[in-house]
Amino acid sequence: MSTRGPVRVADIGAFDALIDARSPSEFTLDHIPGAINCPVLDDEERRIVGTLYHQTGAFEARRIGGAFVAANLARHLREHFADRPANWKPLVYCWRGGLRSGSMVAWMRLVGWDAQQLAGGYKSWRRHVIDRIAERCPQLPLVVVCGATGSAKTRLLHRMETLGAQVLDLEGMARHRGSLLGAWRGVPQPSQKHFETLLAGRLDGFDLARPVFVEGESPRIGRIALPPELVERMRAAPVVEVQATPEARLAYLLRDYADLGEDREALAALMAHFKEAQGKETVARWQGWAREGDMASLFAELMALHYDPHYERSQSRHFARWQERAGVAAEDLSEAALPALAQRLLAGR
């Protein structure tokens, strides 16, 4: 692409590189997949320029900001772009396709590269993500995989994917296991916007003529809210249920949630969230087990008193086709048993 008209989101693939000229914090919050961050203003410089703009006006902000931009562009030319050939074609974007990306494009063109600017910047990408989610979700041929807590649903989805199935791993994208105890130890969740960017990309990769398997989720996974269009589609989809024995589920939980026992005080503190539903006496017992590291007793009662009753109440209310679900019995959820169980789930038996 050598013409220099407006470049749209659909044209991104025609370029050799995609450069995000926004600040590092903006980039971390969300960015177009495949972009590299080469800020023309870092976070502190952006704060300084914004303050000057409001206190002294546009001229002073641009004078100081221009010096920051020139220094940063010089550094990027030395450090990031020094080995790029003469026929290199980068696409640059900032927040809305304004001064920041325009400054970088101008300098790149002076060098001789056919640099261009994404029309509308990141905001145009964000509109694209929202539109794609709204368009694709109602078309998804979903099959919802349900099962009480500890049924290894996420691991089974991964196994199904290795067998060639199409899988939408919402918990993987949200970096959360979906329950009160489901935070990934030491791993923060993505921003809502970045989750939606990941989701839109995943949706675009599906063949709508084949089923897409997804775990039955509530409308929120940790602090991530699922798009209403996706929740509505899940609620109307056919269901296959992993009907694992309590013994198999407990053994699985003790393996999969073993990291919770690494910080016993933090686990005991989490138990306080159950006081309203379970009462002080029960929670005090659970906190004692947490502090002692008695994970087997703790998880067994959490299943029996909290998670299983909640599961029974919620499934028929949330999934319109719950009564006609296919059931797949499981007495073993060990790693060795999962491949065969995944095959049975794919067959719906």
Side-chain angles (χ1 to χ4, degrees):
M1 180 178 293
S2 59
T3 59
R4 290 180 175 174
V7 176
R8 309 297 180 188
V9 168
D11 303 321
I12 288 174
F15 291 85
D16 297 324
L18 181 60
I19 299 170
D20 188 321
R22 299 175 304 157
S23 68
S25 64
E26 291 174 290
F27 182 83
T28 298
L29 186 67
D30 186 39
H31 55 270
I32 303 176
I36 59 172
N37 188 210
C38 295
V40 299
L41 293 173
D42 66 24
D43 292 307
E44 178 61 14
E45 291 165 344
R46 186 166 174 252
R47 185 195 65 79
I48 292 170
V49 171
T51 300
L52 285 171
Y53 182 87
H54 290 292
Q55 291 181 349
T56 64
F59 175 78
E60 188 66 12
R62 288 180 178 177
R63 186 182 70 81
I64 298 298
F68 289 150
V69 169
N72 287 324
L73 288 174
R75 178 169 51 84
H76 294 319
L77 287 168
R78 289 193 308 269
E79 297 177 2
H80 296 107
F81 311 139
D83 60 347
R84 301 301 191 269
N87 62 350
W88 185 50
K89 295 187 297 184
L91 178 64
V92 185
Y93 71 92
C94 58
W95 175 246
R96 60 170 68 89
L99 288 174
R100 287 186 288 176
S101 56
S103 299
M104 183 174 283
V105 165
W107 275 98
M108 286 179 161
R109 288 180 178 177
L110 286 173
V111 171
W113 292 311
D114 186 15
Q116 297 192 58
Q117 193 175 17
L118 178 64
Y122 169 80
K123 291 187 71 175
S124 67
W125 167 257
R126 181 67 183 153
R127 286 193 299 271
H128 165 78
V129 166
I130 293 171
D131 290 345
R132 289 303 286 163
I133 289 174
E135 176 185 346
R136 295 285 282 186
C137 283
Q139 302 173 10
L140 289 175
L142 292 180
V143 176
V144 177
V145 178
C146 289
T149 297
S151 298
K153 298 181 291 296
T154 299
R155 296 285 180 90
L156 285 166
L157 285 175
H158 294 166
R159 290 287 187 174
M160 293 162 73
E161 192 167 26
T162 65
L163 295 171
Q166 296 189 123
V167 167
L168 180 57
D169 182 7
L170 296 172
E171 292 185 4
M173 289 186 288
R175 300 176 202 155
H176 197 283
R177 288 175 289 211
S179 66
L180 177 64
L181 306 180
W184 289 13
R185 186 171 172 80
V187 179
Q189 289 195 263
S191 69
Q192 181 71 36
K193 289 180 178 180
H194 192 57
F195 171 82
E196 290 168 0
T197 286
L198 295 173
L199 176 61
R202 188 67 176 138
L203 296 180
D204 276 339
F206 287 138
D207 176 359
L208 298 181
R210 298 172 53 217
V212 175
F213 292 87
V214 64
E215 184 173 341
E217 303 285 358
S218 63
R220 299 189 74 87
I221 302 177
R223 59 177 176 78
I224 296 296
L226 298 183
E229 302 92 343
L230 179 58
V231 173
E232 182 178 350
R233 190 64 172 172
M234 289 170 58
R235 298 305 185 236
V239 176
V240 59
E241 184 186 28
V242 183
Q243 297 172 341
T245 63
E247 295 79 13
R249 290 165 48 217
L250 179 57
Y252 174 80
L253 286 172
L254 291 173
R255 294 193 308 274
D256 202 52
Y257 283 73
D259 60 305
L260 290 177
E262 296 174 12
D263 189 338
R264 296 180 182 182
E265 279 302 321
L267 179 58
L270 280 175
M271 294 301 103
H273 293 284
F274 294 103
K275 277 186 180 178
E276 184 175 348
Q278 300 296 330
K280 292 181 180 180
E281 183 178 339
T282 297
V283 167
R285 183 169 63 252
W286 291 354
Q287 288 177 323
W289 285 333
R291 292 189 176 101
E292 294 165 7
D294 187 353
M295 305 295 280
S297 296
L298 175 59
F299 285 161
E301 276 210 5
L302 278 168
M303 285 168 48
L305 300 184
H306 179 76
Y307 285 112
D308 287 3
H310 175 73
Y311 175 77
E312 294 297 332
R313 291 193 301 267
S314 66
Q315 301 307 289
S316 60
R317 184 170 70 249
H318 288 160
F319 298 104
R321 301 177 66 175
W322 176 249
Q323 298 303 326
E324 59 190 77
R325 67 193 181 280
V328 178
E331 296 183 357
D332 184 0
L333 296 174
S334 66
E335 286 298 318
L338 292 184
L341 185 55
Q343 288 274 20
R344 292 169 57 207
L345 278 171
L346 286 173
R349 63 178 190 275

